[in-house]
Amino acid sequence: MVKKKSDVYSVEIYGTKDLEKTDIGDEGEKYKDLKGNKRKKKSEDLKKELELDDHKLSTSELEEKYGTSINKGLSSARATEILARDGPNSLTPPKATPEIVKFLKQMVGGFSILLWIGAVFSWISFGIQLAQGAESPFDNLYLGVVLALVVILTGIFAYYQEAKSTNIMASFSKMIPQQALVIRDAEKKELPAGQLVVGDIVEIKGGDRIPADIRLIFAQGCKVDNSSLTGESEPQSRSCDFTHENPLETKNIAFYSTTCVEGTATGIVINTGDRTIIGRIASLASGVGNEKTPIAIEIEHFVYLVAGVAISIGVLFFIISVSMRYKILDSIIFLIGIIVANVPEGLLATVTVSLSLTAKRMAKKNCLVKNLEAVETLGSTSIICSDKTGTLTQNRMTVAHLWFDNQIYSADTSEDQTTQPFDQSSPSWTALSKIVTLCNRAEFRPGQENLPIMKRVVVGDASETALLKFAEVILGDVMNIRARNKKVAEIPFNSTNKFQLSIHETDDPDDKRFLLVMKGAPERILERCSTIMINGKEEPLDSEKAEAFQTAYMELGGMGERVLGFCHLYLPENEFPDTYPFDTDSMNFPTSNLCFVGLLSMIDPPRSTVPDAVSKCRSAGIKVIMVTGDHPITAKAIAKSVGIISATSETVEDIAKRLNIPVEQVNRREATAAVVNGMELKDMSLQQLDEILCNHSEIVFARTSPQQKLIIVEGCQRQGAVVAVTGDGVNDSPALKKADIGIAMGIAGSDAAKNAADMVLLDDNFASIVTGVEEGRLIFDNLKKTIAYTLTKNIAELCPFLIYIIASIPMPIGTITILFIDLGTDIIPSVALAYEKAESDIMNRRPRNKRKDRLVNEQLAVYSYLQIGIMQSVGAFVTYFTVYAEQGFLPSTLLGVRVNWENNAINDFEDSYGQEWTKYQRMYLQWTGYTAFFVSITIQQVADLIIRKTRRNSIFQQGLFRNKVIWVGIFSQIGIALILTYGLGHVTALNFTPLRFQYWFVAVPFAILIWVYDEVRKLLIRRYPGSKLVGQEHVLLKQSLSLVVFLLLESFFPT
Amino acid sequence: MSKEAKKPFRQSMAEWRQFVYNPNSGEFLGRTAKSWGLILLFYLVFYGFLAALFTFTMWVMLQTLSSDIPKYRDRISSPGLMISPKPDTALEFYFNKSDAQSYAEYVSTLRKFLESYDDSKQSQNINCTPGRIFDQNDVAVKKACRFNLSELGQCSGKEDKTFGYSKGTPCVLVKMNRIIGLKPEGEPRIHCTSKEEGMVEINYFPPEGLIDLMYFPYYGKSLHAHYLQPLVAVQLAINSNSTKEEIAIECKILGSPNLKNEDDRDKFLGRIAFKVQMTE
């Protein structure tokens, strides 16, 4: 045990060196110098400051150094002074971006900058027009104001959404202030731990969290759980002796945020707050840069794409309009219109809403997402580096196997066991159960009678707890049994004896003998036995039986289980009468020639949901890598039982064993699985690590330090994988931060881990990650749909401008009207697409390749822009021309009329029938045109919404009614259009007019056409899968021709 | 870590060139010529189809329209007023009565405008009964009523070739916009006022600025080809001491309950405002 600890610690220290090594290895290529330097400096700081010598000092020297007294503690006045000097004893939370910066970021990010440009242009043209004394310059002022408002409002909205999700986290991480028992002014006081200062004398007892870094000056049976610091879950004893040069390894220092498991101790506070070891590791984590989330990259890519289209079309038409002798001012106004038409103003807000909806849904499934964008990251994850303890396992020792009567029995290890199914009829079991019950110091905390046994809190170490619960499940009230078998003497477990012994009266009133029970390391127990119990009878322990024991012991040990041996002895009544004075120091009772009863083996069993979750991950193409601080054998056993190493695959060692050849001769390519020891990893070059990560599909890293976790994560990222990392300890935080998505454990996780993570698993359950992956993939698919839906109508908004400029027709749609589509009718439907159910089993396909499977790809853009968008434009133009024609302006009259049409001085503009129109009458007609165009787009967007529900499946397969929110979307869309048209139709500033009812239906045939066209496309995709139809129009062409021929033949020659 | 390292410029240029034209696979912009051809063909067919569909729908829509009267006339229920001559920029007349060049354009515009009212052009037009709506609903060929230029008196351009501009009594013709089927009620007349009292004396031709009902209704360009809309000439006798001053004139149509002249938003509905500034 001791040896192992020092391994881990040395790795801990050199772990930081390893970090550096990767720095150097990658320098120039992967790291910006600045970043590397910063990090290096930090780790150097860490090492330097570790050279503290408090553990070497004697008590009096310490008193002198810190100006304190062991008995009296600090004076309150002195403490206040130091507190003022050093600050409170708490970790500085990671530097938060100032709210105003976050807000401003929202104001200029994404499309905002384009819209600002639009607004500024509007104001410029307003200024010019005002100076020229034009008649209605205020239109442009309003437009500018509206654009600015749009930016500000969507910015505020996005900011609010982000703040809301941050708040969830903030409320979550807020903890009950910890109290510490401090001696000050020679009095014991309860103080909030934050008030502790260097030199304070604190008392700790089992169950407490260590409130600061403490040099122990008194300890009794004190054990601490350093897992939050080292990842090693085995409690370590603490005393006041200086045992090691290295402060991290010496026994007389307890570290901040670790837990005292049992015993009591008193110590001097030597470091507080950020100067504690934990504080330094936490600050190391903040030095690891945060990567952009995949969805952020995708959205950026999308913004660039759309902005590129907007700017190039804008500039192109600016040039065209200038060369067509439009006035520069007019050209600028066109440019604004083109930008506004091209930019999907509402889309980023929609994306935020969709993500936060998913985040909410995930929170319900115990995945609390801190960073909204991380919702999707999980969906693109291709490697999960999972912790073992607590994530894959239940994080409690549980009896897994028993061996008695020469036979191995399996016990139920599930989370909610209430009985044990194995055969309990043998008298050997009765004897064994008695030892298990009696030779055990663990006790339930009182007042938990109503809780299920497995959930009760136990005072005692992990193995004893397991045994206690095991006995309680089978035998019932253990405490009662213990009471009936009064304990008369006891030797607790210690590392030299490696056994635990107690002597009891029996509960049989006729049997006056004492019962000596003993448990411990099996080989040590066996040494002390001369007989073995078989079917309730004591039989001599011959070599054959010893052999059987050995086999069983090996088998259980081979399963990675911790094995304990049990034996007993009834002390003869004549030698040990009632009054016999048992003395545990002189051991005046027999401790050999005992009767061996059986073996029990314990393991921290996998959670019952995990194997299923792992296999789901596998079918979803996600590699699950186990990274644990545990022993390789245990790690491998758990990996096998949860399916991380599948039943059929072998490690190099397995192959070697099977073929009976040395490990070196095995073809490494043949082994699909690998178990890598932390010690091997330490000596590996990056290339070797890459090789392992590449060649083996099933990998377990055992005995790794948390710093090595970082190396593993970086290795995975070098393979181009999107890596999810789970962790709970403070020192996991660098890896959590480095990962594309860091997942902290909500129950076992430390605050630092939760801070560094992007997501918190509220139930610490690996299976929750899988649901998260599913949600993440779904949202990616659905965002694609949302974007396709939104982009389509941009063309229908853009075409009017282009045709207006080229053909000089009256303006078909106004800039304000476009904003009403983008931010009005289209918002709810596009959010509704986020509720769309998965089309096929999304967990059966590989994770998306972040280089190839873009959110917005060529096909999507081309299909939306050049096909559906154009169809929509045609439909809308038909409505537009119909409105004008029915009012007296035939299409032929409209061409080229722009200049006169817009001339304020012409108030007798003649239409096709010889009637004359004033400017305002024309304007009103133009607004009617806007409204008609708007209504047509809305109607066709309904069709667009329906076709976007699915990407492959026919709408009949997916069902129109499964996603009810879509209907909310459709009705809201039409409802908003109705309100705008008829309700606000008289507010001139909005440019809507009441519209004749029949104009609502002009575009319906086009809507149907869009739907039919898309159904045909989907049919072809399903019929000719893999030909990547979307976007490959020539294939589409060929196949639609063949389909037409097929349908014709079918109708002429029915079969 | 996962972030891609920045590629050297030369390499990315080479990749670009490769993308624009790849000599190995013969790919141009990522596709072979055949592939591009097929795509072009697809879009040709696709857009051809859409164009045909558009044309067809428009054709069907146009079939539902009558060539005589528009389907709806609700957007122009009431006529606007307009003047002639109409200055280029805003409705502001600036001229020097002694400088013929300064008003030459106004005069020529008026002359041109009145050409169609010339007696020779009105040979087909009939003399209608004054004061009555000239309903021709049952007649296939709609007749146009004669508008005698003489009704415009001094503003007819017959006596004074400069329409009064040279004398400081400029003429402005006020006309009411043509609207198919419009039948004014009552006794519509044009009345103009000047904001500035006493600067200008306004005379109307025909007297009182009356618009005769016999010119209504209008049956549209195709049925009523020779239709001439009635005109009212407004002669502004500018007071000799008010020269050099800008005189704002507003003309309104009065006397007819169904002709609006007070619309908030449409400043030309049944009214028109213009300015005159004359120098000597």
Side-chain angles (χ1 to χ4, degrees), chain A residues 724-848:
Chain A
V725 172
T726 70
D728 46 18
V730 171
N731 47 6
D732 286 337
S733 42
L736 287 175
K737 213 139 190 220
K738 183 76 226 172
D740 296 284
I741 178 165
I743 304 168
M745 297 300 131
I747 302 168
S750 61
D751 286 358
K754 284 177 197 164
N755 267 331
D758 305 296
M759 209 175 94
V760 178
L761 279 192
L762 293 181
D763 58 355
D764 289 17
N765 190 347
F766 184 81
S768 304
I769 300 178
V770 179
T771 34
V773 170
E774 205 169 342
E775 289 290 346
R777 289 185 172 192
L778 183 58
I779 195 66
F780 189 80
D781 282 4
N782 286 347
L783 281 181
K784 246 184 159 148
K785 295 175 183 176
T786 302
I787 287 176
Y789 169 78
T790 314
L791 283 188
T792 306
K793 57 124 199 310
N794 277 1
I795 284 299
E797 291 167 354
L798 181 67
C799 281
F801 276 94
L802 310 188
I803 294 184
Y804 165 76
I805 293 171
I806 292 170
S808 283
I809 55 171
M811 182 72 105
I813 192 166
T815 314
I816 305 267
T817 324
I818 289 174
L819 290 177
F820 271 106
I821 300 176
D822 287 3
L823 296 168
T825 55
D826 257 13
I827 291 285
I828 299 175
S830 37
V831 172
L833 283 171
Y835 285 94
E836 200 54 42
K837 305 269 185 306
E839 254 175 89
S840 50
D841 193 358
I842 43 177
M843 291 304 277
N844 276 339
R845 61 178 194 224
R846 299 194 54 75
R848 74 183 178 93

Side-chain angles (χ1 to χ4, degrees), chain A residues 53-217:
Chain A
D53 53 359
D54 290 334
H55 52 301
K56 298 176 196 162
L57 302 180
S58 72
T59 313
S60 51
E61 281 170 323
L62 280 169
E63 277 184 316
E64 193 185 333
K65 180 175 175 188
Y66 291 108
T68 185
S69 143
I70 286 173
N71 300 322
K72 290 187 192 154
L74 291 171
S75 70
S76 291
R78 174 86 184 121
T80 321
E81 228 170 81
I82 304 174
L83 186 67
R85 184 192 72 197
D86 290 352
N89 173 35
S90 58
L91 297 184
T92 323
K95 215 179 196 176
T97 331
E99 294 299 306
I100 184 75
V101 172
K102 275 195 214 164
F103 184 70
L104 289 178
K105 256 189 189 162
Q106 300 287 2
M107 289 288 153
V108 295
F111 296 117
S112 304
I113 209 85
L114 273 184
L115 293 178
W116 280 123
I117 293 172
V120 168
F121 277 158
S122 302
W123 288 324
I124 291 174
S125 51
F126 161 71
I128 297 172
Q129 282 181 330
L130 195 68
Q132 287 178 347
E135 270 192 38
S136 55
F138 290 98
D139 285 358
N140 282 319
L141 176 69
Y142 297 149
L143 181 59
V145 170
V146 167
L147 289 180
L149 271 181
V150 165
V151 180
I152 292 170
L153 287 181
T154 48
I156 288 176
F157 178 77
Y159 171 76
Y160 167 75
Q161 282 291 344
E162 200 190 88
K164 214 167 69 178
S165 68
T166 321
N167 280 347
I168 301 175
M169 204 47 220
S171 64
F172 178 78
S173 60
K174 205 172 275 172
M175 292 212 316
I176 315 136
Q178 196 195 338
Q179 298 286 318
L181 192 62
V182 189
I183 300 173
R184 273 195 197 167
D185 305 323
E187 273 177 64
K188 278 191 189 176
K189 287 179 186 171
E190 280 267 308
L191 281 180
Q195 309 244 317
L196 286 187
V197 295
V198 170
D200 264 331
I201 309 294
V202 292
E203 288 188 11
I204 47 173
K205 57 180 189 310
D208 286 355
R209 227 168 71 123
I210 312 288
D213 282 358
I214 290 171
R215 157 72 158 89
L216 301 182
I217 45 180

Side-chain angles (χ1 to χ4, degrees), chain A residues 245-280:
Chain A
E245 281 285 327
N246 189 324
L248 283 166
E249 288 177 57
T250 181
K251 282 196 166 189
N252 57 1
I253 289 183
F255 296 105
Y256 178 48
S257 99
T258 59
T259 336
C260 176
V261 184
E262 56 183 62
T264 57
T266 308
I268 300 178
V269 175
I270 51 171
N271 275 320
T272 57
D274 290 332
R275 287 167 302 279
T276 58
I277 302 294
I278 289 287
R280 281 175 223 158

Side-chain angles (χ1 to χ4, degrees), chain A residues 27-43:
Chain A
E27 218 165 15
E29 193 192 340
K30 302 258 156 82
Y31 277 114
K32 295 249 155 69
D33 260 346
L34 187 73
K35 202 166 150 190
N37 282 339
K38 206 166 97 190
R39 185 122 66 93
K40 232 178 285 171
K41 190 164 164 285
K42 262 196 178 146
S43 42

